[in-house]
């Protein structure tokens, strides 16, 4: 239940930060992640959307097994955070962590059949949510939005 105090605080924040690109984009990302997590949970999957990029990287690597370090580098995340997610995903049966046959210090990541299924469901879920949102926009609004996002991305990547 939202109190008057919480409403007032939200209103003050919105008045000051409502036009801030950083906070608006973060809020939108939070809402999309929340919706995705609800849908994955509804389908009976335990991974949270924050863990799904790890599964995606392993899924799209095909037969080439990735190391924990490679996953961390590609996702631009710290190795310890990736390691915690990998352990959880392994515990839940979505992937296997196997030692490299050449370098025993290196762990390689394999997707299990359950992991493959969750990636495929996550892709379907993302496409469904994407369609739910984009169906509410005109073609011109969507084109302008995507063009703006690409422009912002290119500015930030410099």
């Amino acid at each position: 239940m939202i109190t008057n105090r919480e409403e007032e605080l939200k209103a003050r924040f919105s008045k000051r930060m409502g036009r801030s690109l950083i906070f608006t984009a973060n809020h939108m990302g939070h809402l999309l992640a929340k919706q995705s997590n609800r849908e994955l949970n509804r389908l009976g999957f335990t991974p949270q959307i924050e863990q799904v990029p790890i599964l995606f990287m392993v899924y799209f690597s095909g037969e080439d097994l990735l190391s924990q370090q490679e996953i961390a580098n590609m996702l631009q995340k710290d190795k310890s955070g990736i390691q915690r997610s990998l352990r959880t995903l392994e515990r839940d049966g979505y992937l296997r962590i196997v030692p490299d046959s050449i370098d025993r210090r290196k762990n390689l990541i394999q997707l299990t059949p359950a992991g493959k299924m969750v990636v495929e469901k996550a892709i379907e879920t993302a496409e469904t949510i994407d369609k739910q949102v984009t169906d509410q926009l005109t073609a011109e609004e969507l084109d302008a939005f995507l063009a703006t996002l690409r422009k912002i991305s290119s500015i930030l990547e410099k």
Side-chain angles (χ1 to χ4, degrees):
M1 183 166 122
I2 297 177
T3 66
N4 286 340
R5 183 170 188 250
E6 290 168 341
E7 288 288 336
E8 183 180 321
L9 181 58
K10 276 180 147 180
R12 275 191 266 154
F13 177 83
S14 182
K15 182 177 179 183
R16 177 73 191 263
M17 304 308 294
R19 293 189 47 84
S20 167
L21 174 65
I22 293 170
F23 289 106
T24 302
N26 183 60
H27 181 66
M28 183 179 64
H30 173 74
L31 293 173
L32 287 168
K34 190 173 164 183
Q35 179 70 23
S36 299
N37 284 336
R38 269 196 303 261
E39 186 61 19
L40 287 171
N41 286 333
R42 187 186 70 75
L43 294 170
F45 297 110
T46 56
Q48 296 293 292
I49 200 67
E50 297 80 11
Q51 296 169 320
V52 171
I54 295 170
L55 295 173
F56 275 40
M57 298 306 287
V58 178
Y59 180 86
F60 289 112
S61 71
E63 296 299 315
D64 297 328
L65 298 183
L66 298 175
S67 70
Q68 290 178 217
Q69 188 63 58
E70 289 171 316
I71 293 169
N73 292 347
M74 287 186 279
L75 294 176
Q76 298 178 345
K77 303 281 186 185
D78 66 288
K79 190 176 174 183
S80 62
I82 293 295
Q83 186 175 28
R84 281 189 301 276
S85 290
L86 288 172
R87 297 284 179 224
T88 300
L89 292 166
E90 180 184 39
R91 180 198 69 208
D92 293 345
Y94 296 113
L95 52 79
R96 281 187 212 72
I97 301 172
V98 295
D100 186 311
S101 60
I102 298 167
D103 182 352
R104 290 283 191 206
R105 295 170 298 169
K106 185 163 56 169
N107 288 323
L108 301 175
I109 311 306
Q110 278 182 327
L111 208 57
T112 65
K116 183 179 181 197
M117 186 171 63
V118 80
V119 168
E120 290 167 356
K121 287 295 181 187
I123 290 169
E124 287 176 26
T125 297
E127 290 169 344
T128 299
I129 293 169
D130 190 69
K131 184 168 174 26
Q132 288 171 348
V133 172
T134 58
D135 280 354
Q136 304 299 310
L137 303 173
T138 66
E140 295 79 24
E141 288 172 327
L142 181 57
D143 289 344
F145 177 67
L146 293 174
T148 302
L149 287 178
R150 283 190 289 274
K151 184 174 184 178
I152 292 168
S153 292
S154 70
I155 291 167
L156 293 174
E157 287 173 348
K158 289 180 182 176

